[in-house]
Every structure is written in C-alpha cells, then in structure tokens.
Amino acid sequence: MGLIGLLVGGAIDASKAIKQNNAKNNDERHHVTVGNKYEMDVPAFLSERHDLSEDASLQYGSRSLDIAFQVIDEPKNEFIESVNELGQDIPSLNGNETILGKLAILSLGNYFEDMDKVEIGDYKEIKINGLNAITLNAFQKRTFCKDAMYTTFAFIEGKETLYQIFIVSGGTSILKLADKLSESIHSFREL
C-alpha cells in the first residue's frame, strides 16, 4: 500500500473513531412501535432502513458506523410445527432444549452457514421485561472480507411470537457502542 493509501485509510479510521465517540455520547433514542406486536428504543445514531432483510419487521442502521440492527418475528406455532417436522435432528445450544433454544440453534446455523471462523461467547439465559430470552455475542470471519464481523443476538419468546434481534457490525463499532445497543435489546416489550 502506498503513502496515499495509508493517508486515506488513516483519515477514514479517524473519521469513524470520531463518529463512534459522538454516538457513544449520544443518549437520544427512537421509541419504535411495530404494529401491535412490540416496541423498543433504538439509538438515535441509527436510521431507519428498508434494505437489510425482507424478513425483518424492524430495520435500523448506520453505514458510517457500519452497524445493522434488525428484528425478525414469527408466529410461535409455525416455528413449533417446523421443528416437529424436523424431529430430533436439532442439537441443543448450551444444553437448552426449549423452543427458544431450538430457535437460537437453527438461526445461528443459518446465519453462520458460510463463515470460515466463528466464536460464540457471553451466552446468557435471561428475562427481558418478563419474557424468556437468550443473548449471546459472536465473532465471525469470512475469507473474502477484510474485517471481522461482530454480532449480538437476542432470541425472545413472546406469548404467541418468537423474536430474533440481530445487531451486526463489520468493525469495532459494536464493541465501542455495546452498552447502548444492549440497552436497546433490554428495552424490548411485547404489546
């Protein structure tokens, strides 16, 4: 890489660091209600998007911070029917044999299908506003990508709906903004 490449790369990194610092100091939030299903607070440094996933009922992101924030919801009874059709072929996630544990393992399997390296950590079975939930973090690497990707997942079991929250960053933003993103996950409320 030549001198110009180093200068441009350094300027981009400095600009991103400034944006991350500004986001970290920004306590503003969007209070978002999705139909009569759920509500949650999303950090104001993220903007509404419509191009991340056709399955997502909520999509926010920031290209400059390299963060995508999505919620996918599906009827619990449809998922249970699908699991029953698969039979006993679903491994458990950390010994969790519940429907929520099965949702997590199937979702993670689909998500990491084409990854070269995956490390999962911070697995927790918790309650989010009275609902059973599983949260975890993942580091993943694809050969064709320069940067690693970091993802925070939350799987939440509602009364009649299962929710999956994915927060993905192709850099250090998710690490620097983890507290604000975690607050968003914990603000989730089923209506």
Side-chain angles (χ1 to χ4, degrees), residues 62-176:
S62 168
R63 289 178 196 236
S64 62
L65 293 170
D66 201 12
I67 294 177
F69 187 113
Q70 305 173 61
V71 178
I72 297 173
D73 56 84
E74 65 180 296
K76 192 188 304 187
N77 61 348
E78 288 180 19
F79 181 77
I80 290 170
E81 287 174 19
S82 298
V83 166
N84 289 338
E85 288 175 15
L86 291 172
Q88 298 297 324
D89 295 342
I90 303 171
S92 71
L93 177 66
N94 209 31
N96 188 329
E97 297 289 342
T98 65
I99 198 67
L100 196 57
K102 290 178 182 187
L103 171 66
I105 198 70
L106 289 172
S107 296
L108 292 171
N110 288 335
Y111 187 78
F112 295 131
E113 188 171 59
D114 63 347
M115 300 290 174
D116 298 324
K117 177 183 180 183
V118 176
E119 295 174 15
I120 294 178
D122 298 325
Y123 175 94
K124 295 178 189 156
E125 294 178 30
I126 61 171
K127 295 271 188 189
I128 294 179
N129 292 310
L131 300 174
N132 291 328
I134 294 172
T135 59
L136 56 97
N137 295 317
F139 161 86
Q140 61 267 9
K141 183 80 174 129
R142 290 183 173 137
T143 356
F144 58 87
C145 289
K146 176 185 140 201
D147 294 329
M149 292 175 53
Y150 300 89
T151 308
T152 296
F153 296 92
F155 303 96
I156 303 171
E157 182 178 3
K159 293 176 209 108
E160 296 179 14
T161 306
L162 296 171
Y163 304 93
Q164 303 170 54
I165 301 174
F166 301 92
I167 306 172
V168 182
S169 176
T172 58
S173 289
I174 201 166
L175 301 174
K176 292 183 179 177

